[in-house]
Amino acid sequence: MHALFGEFIGTALLVLLGNGVVANVLLKGTKGHNSGLIVVAFGWAMAVFVGVFSVAAISGAHLNPAVSVALAVAGKFAWADVPGYVAAQMAGGMAGALLVWLIYRDHFDSTDCADSKLATFCTGPAIRSLPANLLSEVLATFVLVYAILSMVAPKVSLGAMDALPVALLVLGIGVSLGGTTGYAMSPARDLAPRIMHALLPIRGKRDSDWRYAWIPVFGSLLGGSLAAVAHGIA
């Protein structure tokens, strides 16, 4: 239960700060309005940094169903523990999205663009082409998981700074591969907040784009699993 609570808290922090920076950039009247992809990528990197160092000692800080499944495929995590981790991560993602909405509620109300409101919860393609969008998500998650599996734990712990390599990895993926689909790389980062978008009484919202929702979910799980297989072969 301590591990599951850690995954819940860590994922909630991740989505709170990650979706929070998206809200800061996209919603009308914020201090960071229209500051662009670089700010979003940096904010997500810091979100990963905070989430990972906060709960790494408790749960291992997967914070992502794609990571938990990939670690199980690689034989580094028990399959029996995967459902509990995924459930905790999804619940954390929903909690983080709820907090973003509460914090930015006035800005949601003053923003006219329904697409921008949706984008503060979940990802969407810059150009809608499902094969290309799926490939983007698969490759981004492949890079994420393969690099994580390749990281060697330092012999001397640096405390919170041990989370820095993962944060820099997410920053690199964001600025290099984030322009096509928004680099979800995680059902807990995309599907869980998308569910909250559908449930919350957001003024002037659009549909939650369920026709696209399978892309970040399936793409991240496939990309992570392929990375685990490739790493095992290497």
PDB file of all heavy atoms in Angstrom, residues 217-230:
ATOM      1  N   VAL A 217      -2.572   6.107 -25.742  1.00  0.00           N
ATOM      2  CA  VAL A 217      -2.608   4.949 -24.855  1.00  0.00           C
ATOM      3  C   VAL A 217      -1.893   3.768 -25.502  1.00  0.00           C
ATOM      4  O   VAL A 217      -0.923   3.224 -24.949  1.00  0.00           O
ATOM      5  CB  VAL A 217      -4.065   4.572 -24.502  1.00  0.00           C
ATOM      6  CG1 VAL A 217      -4.097   3.265 -23.711  1.00  0.00           C
ATOM      7  CG2 VAL A 217      -4.721   5.689 -23.716  1.00  0.00           C
ATOM      8  N   PHE A 218      -2.356   3.359 -26.665  1.00  0.00           N
ATOM      9  CA  PHE A 218      -1.761   2.210 -27.346  1.00  0.00           C
ATOM     10  C   PHE A 218      -0.324   2.510 -27.771  1.00  0.00           C
ATOM     11  O   PHE A 218       0.569   1.664 -27.650  1.00  0.00           O
ATOM     12  CB  PHE A 218      -2.609   1.821 -28.557  1.00  0.00           C
ATOM     13  CG  PHE A 218      -2.072   0.650 -29.321  1.00  0.00           C
ATOM     14  CD1 PHE A 218      -2.107  -0.628 -28.784  1.00  0.00           C
ATOM     15  CD2 PHE A 218      -1.516   0.821 -30.587  1.00  0.00           C
ATOM     16  CE1 PHE A 218      -1.605  -1.719 -29.489  1.00  0.00           C
ATOM     17  CE2 PHE A 218      -1.019  -0.255 -31.303  1.00  0.00           C
ATOM     18  CZ  PHE A 218      -1.061  -1.533 -30.748  1.00  0.00           C
ATOM     19  N   GLY A 219      -0.089   3.731 -28.260  1.00  0.00           N
ATOM     20  CA  GLY A 219       1.250   4.091 -28.723  1.00  0.00           C
ATOM     21  C   GLY A 219       2.275   4.045 -27.606  1.00  0.00           C
ATOM     22  O   GLY A 219       3.393   3.546 -27.803  1.00  0.00           O
ATOM     23  N   SER A 220       1.917   4.540 -26.428  1.00  0.00           N
ATOM     24  CA  SER A 220       2.873   4.542 -25.319  1.00  0.00           C
ATOM     25  C   SER A 220       3.132   3.123 -24.810  1.00  0.00           C
ATOM     26  O   SER A 220       4.285   2.759 -24.524  1.00  0.00           O
ATOM     27  CB  SER A 220       2.368   5.436 -24.185  1.00  0.00           C
ATOM     28  OG  SER A 220       1.143   4.969 -23.655  1.00  0.00           O
ATOM     29  N   LEU A 221       2.082   2.320 -24.698  1.00  0.00           N
ATOM     30  CA  LEU A 221       2.266   0.941 -24.229  1.00  0.00           C
ATOM     31  C   LEU A 221       3.086   0.129 -25.228  1.00  0.00           C
ATOM     32  O   LEU A 221       3.964  -0.652 -24.834  1.00  0.00           O
ATOM     33  CB  LEU A 221       0.911   0.283 -23.994  1.00  0.00           C
ATOM     34  CG  LEU A 221       0.085   0.854 -22.833  1.00  0.00           C
ATOM     35  CD1 LEU A 221      -1.312   0.242 -22.831  1.00  0.00           C
ATOM     36  CD2 LEU A 221       0.771   0.617 -21.501  1.00  0.00           C
ATOM     37  N   LEU A 222       2.821   0.315 -26.524  1.00  0.00           N
ATOM     38  CA  LEU A 222       3.582  -0.403 -27.549  1.00  0.00           C
ATOM     39  C   LEU A 222       5.032   0.070 -27.584  1.00  0.00           C
ATOM     40  O   LEU A 222       5.962  -0.746 -27.625  1.00  0.00           O
ATOM     41  CB  LEU A 222       2.928  -0.197 -28.913  1.00  0.00           C
ATOM     42  CG  LEU A 222       3.636  -0.842 -30.112  1.00  0.00           C
ATOM     43  CD1 LEU A 222       3.752  -2.353 -29.934  1.00  0.00           C
ATOM     44  CD2 LEU A 222       2.913  -0.502 -31.408  1.00  0.00           C
ATOM     45  N   GLY A 223       5.242   1.378 -27.551  1.00  0.00           N
ATOM     46  CA  GLY A 223       6.602   1.909 -27.587  1.00  0.00           C
ATOM     47  C   GLY A 223       7.430   1.469 -26.403  1.00  0.00           C
ATOM     48  O   GLY A 223       8.602   1.093 -26.551  1.00  0.00           O
ATOM     49  N   GLY A 224       6.829   1.484 -25.214  1.00  0.00           N
ATOM     50  CA  GLY A 224       7.551   1.043 -24.030  1.00  0.00           C
ATOM     51  C   GLY A 224       7.884  -0.435 -24.073  1.00  0.00           C
ATOM     52  O   GLY A 224       8.990  -0.844 -23.702  1.00  0.00           O
ATOM     53  N   SER A 225       6.952  -1.254 -24.536  1.00  0.00           N
ATOM     54  CA  SER A 225       7.189  -2.701 -24.618  1.00  0.00           C
ATOM     55  C   SER A 225       8.271  -3.022 -25.644  1.00  0.00           C
ATOM     56  O   SER A 225       9.128  -3.884 -25.402  1.00  0.00           O
ATOM     57  CB  SER A 225       5.882  -3.420 -24.972  1.00  0.00           C
ATOM     58  OG  SER A 225       4.912  -3.230 -23.970  1.00  0.00           O
ATOM     59  N   LEU A 226       8.239  -2.334 -26.774  1.00  0.00           N
ATOM     60  CA  LEU A 226       9.278  -2.540 -27.800  1.00  0.00           C
ATOM     61  C   LEU A 226      10.648  -2.138 -27.261  1.00  0.00           C
ATOM     62  O   LEU A 226      11.653  -2.796 -27.557  1.00  0.00           O
ATOM     63  CB  LEU A 226       8.946  -1.739 -29.064  1.00  0.00           C
ATOM     64  CG  LEU A 226       7.756  -2.225 -29.886  1.00  0.00           C
ATOM     65  CD1 LEU A 226       7.469  -1.256 -31.033  1.00  0.00           C
ATOM     66  CD2 LEU A 226       8.010  -3.629 -30.427  1.00  0.00           C
ATOM     67  N   ALA A 227      10.689  -1.079 -26.481  1.00  0.00           N
ATOM     68  CA  ALA A 227      11.959  -0.655 -25.885  1.00  0.00           C
ATOM     69  C   ALA A 227      12.489  -1.712 -24.927  1.00  0.00           C
ATOM     70  O   ALA A 227      13.704  -1.977 -24.890  1.00  0.00           O
ATOM     71  CB  ALA A 227      11.779   0.678 -25.163  1.00  0.00           C
ATOM     72  N   ALA A 228      11.592  -2.332 -24.150  1.00  0.00           N
ATOM     73  CA  ALA A 228      12.009  -3.375 -23.218  1.00  0.00           C
ATOM     74  C   ALA A 228      12.574  -4.575 -23.965  1.00  0.00           C
ATOM     75  O   ALA A 228      13.609  -5.141 -23.574  1.00  0.00           O
ATOM     76  CB  ALA A 228      10.830  -3.806 -22.344  1.00  0.00           C
ATOM     77  N   VAL A 229      11.925  -4.956 -25.062  1.00  0.00           N
ATOM     78  CA  VAL A 229      12.413  -6.087 -25.861  1.00  0.00           C
ATOM     79  C   VAL A 229      13.764  -5.745 -26.487  1.00  0.00           C
ATOM     80  O   VAL A 229      14.705  -6.547 -26.454  1.00  0.00           O
ATOM     81  CB  VAL A 229      11.392  -6.452 -26.953  1.00  0.00           C
ATOM     82  CG1 VAL A 229      11.974  -7.475 -27.909  1.00  0.00           C
ATOM     83  CG2 VAL A 229      10.105  -6.974 -26.327  1.00  0.00           C
ATOM     84  N   ALA A 230      13.872  -4.535 -27.059  1.00  0.00           N
ATOM     85  CA  ALA A 230      15.127  -4.126 -27.693  1.00  0.00           C
ATOM     86  C   ALA A 230      16.266  -4.052 -26.682  1.00  0.00           C
ATOM     87  O   ALA A 230      17.406  -4.457 -26.984  1.00  0.00           O
ATOM     88  CB  ALA A 230      14.945  -2.765 -28.380  1.00  0.00           C
TER      89      ALA A 230
END
